[in-house]
Amino acid sequence: MVLQAVTDADLTALFTGARTCTLTATTTQGPYYFDADKIRSDIREDKQGAKLRLALQVQDSETCKPIPHAVVEIWHCDAGGLYSGAEAASGGGGGTPPVGGIPPTGGTPPTGGTPPAGGGATDLVPTDDKRYLRGAQVTNQRGIVEFTTIWPGWYRGRTVHVHVMVHVGNEKTLTTQLMFDETLNSAVMATEPYVRRTGRDTFNDGDYIYRPSMLLKVTKARDGYVGCIVLNADPDHDGV
């Protein structure tokens, strides 16, 4: 089935089966987050990779009603495992990863379910002026935002993932991560430019953050992939 996912009607079909009112699992923001101050839907810039359209719907975990006017940020690495604003650290090119980070090309990946020390709770101070694969959008009346990006690459110690942060009002209401079915990861990693990197060491079942609820519902589109998920936030912070 081929879908373009450019209208609300298309998105309705994609969100079928992805809907839940269970509070979305939270994670640390990781070592490579900073406010990129980029309100935009297409975050690819010059980065090459499999086109990925992301449709995210934010709703209240108690009422199951959409949350309009929320700011949704996403960020992730490129096909080579690099993060903009932190290329030296994320690429192992002589830089020192921030506290709580995992060197993508060196060091020992974490084991079991314990995140690295520090958890990456502090915002990164960018060390370069790149801002690719980072952006934010404001939810519409249905609580939906859309981004155009590429399928993320991988780095040592982590499965393929996208970081997401939801702001409601002036607060960081939800910080989580999105993952992909490993069959799809394998298919994408066998294509250019991903295939140039070998030795991927961590998959969903060995990732210390991965949970099945973080899996995007992904559909093959004419020019790439479309992924969607419902994010259930807790604006009043009562844990429900």
Side-chain angles (χ1 to χ4, degrees), residues 29-33 98-99 118-125:
Q29 66 188 35
Y32 302 122
Y33 171 76
V99 173
T122 303
D123 291 5
L124 172 77
V125 176

Side-chain angles (χ1 to χ4, degrees), residues 5-239:
V6 294
T7 68
D8 278 356
D10 294 329
L11 291 178
T12 297
L14 283 174
F15 280 119
T16 300
R19 192 169 308 284
T20 174
C21 284
T22 303
L23 184 63
T24 296
T26 61
T27 70
T28 60
Q29 66 188 35
Y32 302 122
Y33 171 76
F34 62 92
D35 182 358
D37 194 25
K38 293 285 186 181
I39 301 294
R40 56 185 182 170
S41 60
D42 190 334
I43 65 174
R44 293 173 294 177
E45 297 187 16
D46 62 347
K47 288 299 173 179
Q48 300 299 304
K51 184 178 180 181
L52 175 65
R53 301 284 300 277
L54 285 177
L56 314 178
Q57 186 173 40
V58 182
Q59 65 183 24
D60 189 297
S61 59
E62 292 183 66
T63 66
C64 296
K65 292 182 179 179
I67 301 178
H69 313 303
V71 176
V72 180
E73 289 184 85
I74 69 169
W75 67 101
H76 62 83
C77 70
D78 68 4
L82 299 181
Y83 279 88
S84 62
E87 285 192 342
S90 59
T96 301
V99 173
I102 305 168
T105 56
T108 303
T111 56
T114 305
T122 303
D123 291 5
L124 172 77
V125 176
T127 55
D128 61 64
D129 60 1
K130 305 293 181 58
R131 298 295 181 268
Y132 55 79
L133 306 180
R134 295 181 184 269
Q137 285 282 284
V138 179
T139 57
N140 63 17
Q141 289 301 313
R142 295 185 61 203
I144 293 172
V145 293
E146 289 186 71
F147 293 94
T148 301
T149 186
I150 63 168
W151 201 281
W154 61 271
Y155 52 92
R156 186 171 172 81
R158 287 302 319 278
T159 193
V160 177
H161 63 281
V162 175
H163 293 270
V164 180
M165 184 180 289
V166 178
H167 306 254
V168 178
N170 294 320
E171 293 190 4
K172 295 178 180 178
T173 303
L174 174 66
T175 303
T176 191
Q177 295 181 28
L178 312 178
M179 279 81 164
F180 306 84
D181 182 271
E182 284 295 358
T183 300
L184 294 172
N185 279 331
S186 295
V188 172
M189 296 304 140
T191 65
E192 288 285 350
Y194 307 93
V195 72
R196 301 174 196 174
R197 296 188 72 219
T198 59
R200 185 178 169 216
D201 70 329
T202 305
F203 301 83
N204 288 346
D205 60 3
D207 187 84
Y208 68 94
I209 285 178
Y210 169 79
R211 295 186 186 182
S213 62
M214 296 175 177
L215 283 173
L216 285 153
K217 181 180 180 183
V218 178
T219 300
K220 188 74 172 66
R222 193 159 47 237
D223 57 350
Y225 297 88
V226 180
C228 74
I229 198 167
V230 177
L231 301 172
N232 292 280
D234 180 25
D236 56 11
H237 301 291
D238 65 358

